[in-house]
Amino acid sequence: TGAGSSTIQGYATSMSVNVGETVNFKIKASAAYHIDVYRLGYYQGLGARKLAANVQPSASFPQTQPACATFSASGLIDCGNWGLSASWQVPASAVSGVYLARLVRNDATGASVIPFVVRDDSARTDVLFQTSDTTWQAYNTYGGNSLYSCTVSCPPGSPQAYKAAFKVSYNRPFNSALDDQGRSWLMYAEYPMIRFMEANGYDVSYMSGLDVATRGPLLLNHKSYMS
């Protein structure tokens, strides 16, 4: 529930990967763990399908991750200084979708999830569905700051009482399930729509919000675009 256990948190170094590519993870954990990978969908009401089980980290445990970098001029918090922890090779036959890497402590006392998108850059579909990951990050308070609040290395407010970061980074875990009462998170809007579209047989493929900003020409491969 929520953002998962604070004892095991991580993020994907890319918000999306193409089919056949490798997704890399940076993880901060206080106990040994493994990773299960799921694709979200309808799946006869189950809501997801497990595609890989017991993926082992490439970094030996314990892996000490440094404190995330802070920048007081903007309030930016960036955990890009963490070391690489694990990776998963996306099969070339994978179906485009929203995926979750579920980080599970081996002692079964805690877990959390890392969302990422698997694209299919060669796909031609009726519907292209974009995740609102830019919004997830805008409200994400991991490390203390978001675009709406600031508690660590805050820039000057204007008026002075107003405190928020001017920049946020994708290089950090998501705390968004707890922020904005969960209304700016994957499970609030995207997940129900994914279930609806796939339960009703729509021809759909997926991209992240970051992809739409950086891979715009790919939108022309599809008949309609949904955000």
Side-chain angles (χ1 to χ4, degrees):
T1 58
S5 172
S6 61
T7 67
I8 181 166
Q9 291 283 318
Y11 66 92
T13 61
S14 298
M15 189 62 232
S16 76
V17 291
N18 195 18
V19 292
E21 293 183 343
T22 299
V23 57
N24 296 306
F25 305 108
K26 294 185 175 183
I27 298 164
K28 185 175 184 179
S30 60
Y33 62 92
H34 63 276
I35 302 172
D36 296 329
V37 179
Y38 296 81
R39 182 186 182 275
L40 298 182
Y42 181 67
Y43 297 114
Q44 291 72 52
L46 296 176
R49 171 176 287 172
K50 184 186 288 187
L51 298 181
N54 202 33
V55 176
Q56 296 299 308
S58 54
S60 57
F61 182 81
Q63 180 185 22
T64 302
Q65 302 286 23
C68 301
T70 59
F71 301 85
S72 58
S74 62
L76 177 69
I77 295 176
D78 192 305
C79 308
N81 53 355
W82 286 8
L84 195 66
S85 305
S87 62
W88 181 59
Q89 176 74 45
V90 180
S93 59
V95 177
S96 176
V98 180
Y99 285 62
L100 296 178
R102 186 168 186 260
L103 315 179
V104 185
R105 286 176 51 137
N106 290 344
D107 61 10
T109 63
S112 66
V113 295
I114 300 174
F116 63 97
V117 175
V118 172
R119 310 185 316 271
D120 184 349
D121 291 348
S122 65
R124 305 290 192 274
T125 58
D126 291 342
V127 180
L128 178 70
F129 184 79
Q130 177 215 298
T131 56
S132 297
D133 43 283
T134 49
T135 297
W136 308 345
Q137 288 292 9
Y139 285 89
N140 181 12
T141 60
Y142 186 88
N145 300 350
S146 75
L147 294 185
Y148 300 93
S149 63
C150 189
T151 62
V152 178
S153 299
C154 299
S158 182
Q160 195 66 26
Y162 179 74
K163 295 294 182 183
F166 303 156
K167 295 180 180 181
V168 291
S169 174
Y170 271 74
N171 293 330
R172 56 192 183 134
F174 283 106
N175 198 55
S176 310
L178 301 177
D179 301 316
D180 190 33
Q181 297 178 310
R183 292 173 297 198
S184 299
W185 175 234
L186 162 67
M187 302 308 291
Y188 184 78
E190 285 95 338
Y191 181 54
M193 181 57 74
I194 290 168
R195 286 178 63 115
F196 170 82
M197 289 189 299
E198 300 210 351
N200 287 281
Y202 283 88
D203 176 29
V204 60
S205 57
Y206 297 81
M207 287 175 66
S208 71
L210 198 58
D211 294 322
V212 172
T214 58
R215 305 173 188 271
L218 290 177
L219 273 64
L220 300 177
N221 295 339
H222 309 275
K223 295 180 180 179
S224 60
Y225 162 70
M226 180 183 293
S227 172

